């Protein structure tokens, strides 16, 4: 079992079927955190509770993670880019190995992308923050070239 960073294959066809709308306030996209026991990759089709993290203390993390703040897609050269505002869990105590971005508005919570953190990331009574990269053709979390 492993988490591999990838745009999900199902997402690629769902974009062409107008399942996902990334403009501000159109669809709600969530980010859920997972343990190293999770299997997330290009074949992941939807949000799952299997191996989703839980709090080791406190209540900072809830199932389905948190809603992301959409940033309207834009072009960077010839590449369409999608970005989200950075997101944090405060007073958190948990360990995460990766995450899944999924569409919480669409039926069945279809996946967008899986992201591996490279190793376990642990927070104890602190703030766990995910910083999204610059929204450009080389770095954006979601890019269509």
């Amino acid at each position: 079992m492993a988490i591999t960073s990838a745009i999900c294959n199902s997402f690629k066809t769902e974009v062409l079927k107008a399942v996902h709308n990334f403009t501000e306030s159109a669809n709600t996209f969530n980010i859920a955190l997972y343990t190293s026991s999770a299997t997330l990759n290009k074949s992941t089709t939807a949000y799952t509770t299997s191996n989703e993290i839980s709090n080791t203390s406190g209540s900072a993390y809830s199932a389905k993670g948190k809603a992301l703040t959409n940033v309207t897609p834009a072009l960077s050269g010839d590449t369409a880019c999608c970005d989200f505002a950075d997101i944090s869990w405060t007073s958190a105590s948990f360990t995460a190995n990766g995450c899944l971005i999924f569409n919480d508005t669409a039926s069945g919570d279809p996946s967008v992308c899986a992201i591996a953190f490279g190793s376990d990331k642990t927070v104890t009574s602190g703030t766990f923050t995910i910083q999204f990269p610059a929204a450009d053709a080389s770095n954006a979390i979601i890019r269509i070239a």
Side-chain angles (χ1 to χ4, degrees):
M1 294 181 229
I3 300 173
T4 304
S5 294
I7 296 290
C8 299
N9 285 337
S10 56
F11 170 76
K12 296 171 187 176
T13 58
E14 290 165 352
V15 164
L16 299 176
K17 296 175 184 177
V19 172
H20 304 280
N21 185 343
F22 287 91
T23 56
E24 294 177 45
S25 303
N27 287 161
T28 299
F29 292 88
N30 277 24
I31 187 166
L33 304 176
Y34 290 86
T35 70
S36 59
S37 297
T39 299
L40 300 172
N41 53 45
K42 66 181 182 180
S43 299
T44 303
T45 59
Y47 162 78
T48 177
T49 58
S50 180
N51 295 301
E52 186 173 9
I53 70 153
S54 59
N55 297 296
T56 54
S57 67
S59 59
Y61 188 84
S62 299
K64 284 193 160 186
K66 280 189 165 189
L68 293 166
T69 300
N70 300 359
V71 176
T72 298
L75 283 176
S76 173
D78 292 331
T79 302
C81 301
C82 182
D83 190 23
F84 300 99
D86 295 348
I87 192 159
S88 297
W89 287 264
T90 57
S91 302
S93 293
F94 54 72
T95 298
N97 189 269
C99 62
L100 181 72
I101 296 175
F102 64 96
N103 188 338
D104 194 40
T105 303
S107 177
D109 296 332
S111 60
V112 173
C113 64
I115 303 167
F117 295 160
S119 64
D120 281 346
K121 304 298 179 192
T122 300
V123 61
T124 304
S125 299
T127 300
F128 187 89
T129 300
I130 295 178
Q131 294 178 323
F132 287 96
D136 60 42
S138 299
N139 298 297
I141 200 71
I142 301 170
R143 301 181 301 257
I144 301 174

